[in-house]
């Protein structure tokens, strides 16, 4: 397979992690209006947990699943801390998530040290492409598809969507809005955890890996105003591909700039029209 | 007829200002009860105390023989109190049917885990909810609009949709907050006919309304508020002759 095709598949694989991170941000933002700055730490925490679980002798698959569920629980806890007190504004909650993200650094360094870690993914390659990238793409497709179904086809999804549209009216028609917010945080946590677990075999993870992931995930999400899952997926994949191409043909040191430039471009384009975070 | 809703001594203070002072009100099973009064009389405050969006400074609210005044709004919904209109616009990002189905959320039993894993329990719930929604749409004359986005409905149909959403949870008490406001003649008549139909179906209804003709047509009994107190209650014919009511509405020596 040609070099370009390899870069494309690799880029889509990396982009899937961005899309999952961005989707976590979107789920949380839509329901609670909170931009969750702790999103990247879900990924790091889950990935580092997998290294420990594997070292303890747990089989692949089981360890990863457990870590993703743990990330969901951590998401729930972050949600509780950030939004649990009645009357907390989205802005205060945002600051709390920022604080929790920094706190996560301390916990992660205490538990796992400050050196990068990794674990094995699916071994082998087809046509010059590591099989693990195909696994990333497949799992992401299934999970984002299931998430879309959850929102479109279930009572819970309708309640979450109604809360996103108008929390005040949702409360009046009998929806426990606080509970919906916590569920969104748990779901966001699990999506973030999955991103970390999937990406770590091809990109080492350390306590501060969350920055790169969140910058790219946020850039993807901002393309869809933090509210549109489809555009977030498209943005994530696009970013992954462009970053990989830039890394392959120019220099890997430009990769994070790509996300920042992308985010700036979207923000500048949006600012000309409406306040980005208010337009829902 | 026994009382379904009993408000006793309801008081709500905002800082030093009494929005509501020592208000008694009861809604009998199967009746349509209206609360009227000039602007600032405390109608909305009373409504919010019953719905749970505000908590009373003093007084009690009983529903179906139990106190509900400390319950969160969604818990009151679960007990069978549904609210429609002013503060509860339709969800514009959902279809008409989906909007109605949201109304059943309060009474579904399968939890989030069942929904995420799409367990059989959740699927059974979905089938039930869909049937309830179809029934609510039929009762409110919205069947032909079912698959449209809710945002595309004309105002009259949006009001009907709010009623349908409230009905989908199978409530016993319907709280209607200014149902007629902003509606034109024919839409208003259609809505009044719908509310009469709901009363005939056995629902208890409490409505807060400015439009006196609307109240005269629908209400079995009327409670009149002014400056946060009850100044009269009785049938529409009775309160219409009441000097205190006439003074409150038309002005004059107090």
């Amino acid at each position: 397979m040609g070099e370009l095709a390899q870069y494309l598949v690799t880029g889509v694989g990396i982009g899937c992690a961005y899309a999952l991170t961005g989707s976590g941000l979107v789920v949380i933002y839509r329901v609670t209006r909170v931009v969750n700055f702790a999103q990247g730490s879900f990924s790091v925490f889950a990935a580092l947990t997998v290294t420990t679980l594997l070292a303890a002798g747990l089989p692949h698959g089981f360890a990863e699943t457990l870590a993703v569920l743990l990330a969901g629980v951590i998401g729930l806890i972050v949600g509780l801390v950030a939004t649990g007190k009645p009357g907390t504004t989205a802005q205060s909650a945002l600051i709390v998530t920022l604080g929790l993200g920094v706190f996560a650094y301390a916990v992660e360094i205490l538990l796992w040290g400050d050196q990068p870690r990794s674990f094995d993914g699916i071994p082998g390659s087809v046509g010059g492409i590591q099989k693990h990238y195909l696994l990333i793409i497949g799992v992401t497709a299934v999970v984002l598809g299931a998430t879309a179904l959850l929102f479109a086809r279930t009572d819970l999804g309708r309640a979450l969507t109604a809360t996103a549209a108008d929390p005040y009216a949702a409360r009046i028609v009998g929806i426990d809005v606080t509970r919906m917010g916590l569920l969104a945080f748990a779901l966001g946590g699990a999506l973030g955890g999955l991103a970390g677990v999937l990406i770590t075999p091809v990109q080492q993870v350390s306590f501060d890996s969350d920055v790169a992931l969140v910058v790219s995930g946020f850039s993807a999400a901002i393309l869809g105003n933090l509210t549109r899952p489809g555009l977030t997926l498209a943005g994530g994949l696009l970013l992954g591909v462009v970053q990989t191409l830039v890394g392959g043909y120019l220099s890997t040191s430009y990769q994070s700039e790509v996300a920042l430039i992308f985010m700036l471009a979207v923000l500048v384009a949006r600012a000309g029209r409406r306040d980005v975070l208010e337009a829902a | 007829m026994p009382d379904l809703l009993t408000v006793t001594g309801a008081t709500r203070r905002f800082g030093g200002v009494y929005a509501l002072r020592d208000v008694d009100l009861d809604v009998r099973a199967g009746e349509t009860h209206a609360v009227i009064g000039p602007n600032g009389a405390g109608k909305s405050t009373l409504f919010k105390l019953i719905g749970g969006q505000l908590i009373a400074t003093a007084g009690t609210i009983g529903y179906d023989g139990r106190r509900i005044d400390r319950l969160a709004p969604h818990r009151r919904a679960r007990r069978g109190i549904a609210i429609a209109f002013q503060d509860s616009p339709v969800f514009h990002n959902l279809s008409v049917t989906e909007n109605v189905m949201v109304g059943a959320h309060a009474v579904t039993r399968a939890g989030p885990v069942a929904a995420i894993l799409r367990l059989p329990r959740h699927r059974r719930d979905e089938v039930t909810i869909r049937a309830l929604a179809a029934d609510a749409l039929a009762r409110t004359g919205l069947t032909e609009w079912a698959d449209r986005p809710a945002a595309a409905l004309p105002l009259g149909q949006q009001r009907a949709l709010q009623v349908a959403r409230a009905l989908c949870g199978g409530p016993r008490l319907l709280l209607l907050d200014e149902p007629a406001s902003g509606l034109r003649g024919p839409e208003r008549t259609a809505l009044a006919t719908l509310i009469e139909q709901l009363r005939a179906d056995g629902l208890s209804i409490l409505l807060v309304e400015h439009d006196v003709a609307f109240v005269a047509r629908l209400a079995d009994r009327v409670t009149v508020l002014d400056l946060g107190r009850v100044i009269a209650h009785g049938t529409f014919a009775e309160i219409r002759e009441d000097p205190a009511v006439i003074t409150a509405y038309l002005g004059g020596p107090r």
Side-chain angles (χ1 to χ4, degrees), chain A residues 41-60:
Chain A
S41 46
F42 300 152
S43 310
V44 172
F45 217 91
L48 291 173
T49 301
V50 172
T51 64
T52 300
L53 293 178
L54 289 175
L58 264 68
H60 270 295

Side-chain angles (χ1 to χ4, degrees), chain A residues 153 155 158 165-166 173 179, chain B residues 74 89 93 105 108 112 126 165:
Chain A
R153 293 283 162 77
D155 172 58
R158 282 188 300 273
D166 188 338
V173 301
R179 185 153 169 265
Chain B
H74 65 270
N93 55 356
H105 173 79
T108 50
E126 281 291 292
R165 186 176 61 189

Side-chain angles (χ1 to χ4, degrees), chain A residues 119-215:
Chain A
F119 53 86
D120 294 332
I122 302 263
S125 57
V126 277
I129 295 165
Q130 290 181 46
K131 276 186 188 167
H132 189 77
Y133 283 107
L134 302 178
L135 176 76
I136 296 178
I137 296 168
V139 171
T140 303
V142 169
V143 167
L144 289 185
T147 306
L149 264 183
L150 172 73
F151 273 86
R153 293 283 162 77
T154 69
D155 172 58
L156 175 64
R158 282 188 300 273
L160 286 165
T161 309
T163 308
D166 188 338
Y168 194 73
R171 192 183 299 275
I172 285 174
V173 301
I175 294 169
D176 185 345
V177 171
T178 311
R179 185 153 169 265
M180 290 303 133
L182 293 179
L183 279 170
F185 264 98
L187 203 55
L191 287 171
L194 184 64
V197 166
L198 286 176
I199 200 81
T200 302
V202 293
Q203 281 187 356
Q204 288 188 324
V205 65
S206 61
F207 70 95
D208 58 355
S209 301
D210 65 317
V211 176
L213 209 49
V214 149
V215 165

Side-chain angles (χ1 to χ4, degrees), chain B residues 129-190:
Chain B
I129 293 173
R130 214 160 258 290
L132 286 171
D135 179 53
L137 286 172
R139 283 170 81 182
T140 50
L142 286 172
T143 304
E144 58 180 309
W145 302 85
D147 297 323
R148 301 277 199 93
L153 293 187
L155 189 57
Q157 269 73 30
Q158 292 208 10
R159 291 284 161 87
L161 174 53
Q162 288 170 292
V163 173
R165 186 176 61 189
L167 289 177
C168 196
R172 293 174 61 197
L173 175 64
L174 208 50
L175 305 179
L176 305 181
D177 192 3
E178 308 215 1
S181 85
L183 291 185
R184 289 171 293 115
E187 294 171 334
R188 191 174 292 218
T189 310

Side-chain angles (χ1 to χ4, degrees), chain B residues 11-20 42 44-46 48-49 53-57:
Chain B
T11 301
R12 171 69 203 202
R13 214 172 48 218
F14 293 100
V17 181
Y18 283 89
L20 215 58
S44 306
T45 304
L46 176 60
K48 288 191 166 91
L49 292 184
Q53 297 96 278
L54 281 177
I55 296 294
T57 311

Side-chain angles (χ1 to χ4, degrees), chain A:
Chain A
M1 200 181 280
E3 200 179 44
L4 178 64
Q6 283 180 29
Y7 285 144
L8 284 179
V9 176
T10 309
V12 168
I14 303 287
C16 281
Y18 299 159
L20 285 170
T21 304
S23 303
L25 284 166
V26 166
V27 167
I28 293 171
Y29 178 77
R30 282 188 71 199
V31 179
T32 65
R33 300 284 130 169
V34 176
V35 181
N36 175 32
F37 275 94
Q39 186 65 28
S41 46
F42 300 152
S43 310
V44 172
F45 217 91
L48 291 173
T49 301
V50 172
T51 64
T52 300
L53 293 178
L54 289 175
L58 264 68
H60 270 295
F62 187 61
E64 282 88 345
T65 309
L66 213 56
V68 169
L69 291 177
L70 178 70
V73 173
I74 292 173
L76 183 69
I77 294 169
V78 168
L80 260 178
V81 174
T83 64
K85 186 166 170 285
T88 310
T89 63
Q91 283 79 8
S92 331
L94 180 155
I95 302 297
V96 175
T97 65
L98 195 58
L100 287 171
V102 176
F103 177 66
Y105 278 10
V107 175
E108 285 152 8
I109 292 173
L110 272 176
L111 291 177
W112 290 287
D114 59 357
Q115 292 305 304
R117 290 175 168 231
S118 189
F119 53 86
D120 294 332
I122 302 263
S125 57
V126 277
I129 295 165
Q130 290 181 46
K131 276 186 188 167
H132 189 77
Y133 283 107
L134 302 178
L135 176 76
I136 296 178
I137 296 168
V139 171
T140 303
V142 169
V143 167
L144 289 185
T147 306
L149 264 183
L150 172 73
F151 273 86
R153 293 283 162 77
T154 69
D155 172 58
L156 175 64
R158 282 188 300 273
L160 286 165
T161 309
T163 308
D166 188 338
Y168 194 73
R171 192 183 299 275
I172 285 174
V173 301
I175 294 169
D176 185 345
V177 171
T178 311
R179 185 153 169 265
M180 290 303 133
L182 293 179
L183 279 170
F185 264 98
L187 203 55
L191 287 171
L194 184 64
V197 166
L198 286 176
I199 200 81
T200 302
V202 293
Q203 281 187 356
Q204 288 188 324
V205 65
S206 61
F207 70 95
D208 58 355
S209 301
D210 65 317
V211 176
L213 209 49
V214 149
V215 165
S216 297
F218 187 79
S219 304
I222 207 83
L223 182 68
N225 255 350
L226 281 182
T227 53
R228 314 256 310 260
L231 281 175
T232 303
L233 173 61
L237 298 185
L238 182 67
L239 258 180
V241 169
V242 173
Q243 283 187 5
T244 310
L245 290 178
V246 167
Y249 290 113
L250 298 171
S251 160
T252 49
S253 56
Y254 294 138
Q255 283 184 336
S256 56
E257 280 75 3
V258 171
L260 288 169
I261 290 168
F262 183 82
M263 192 198 305
L264 272 176
V266 173
L267 286 172
V268 168
R270 282 273 157 70
R273 283 179 282 164
R274 262 154 74 188
D275 185 353
V276 174
L277 297 187
E278 292 307 315

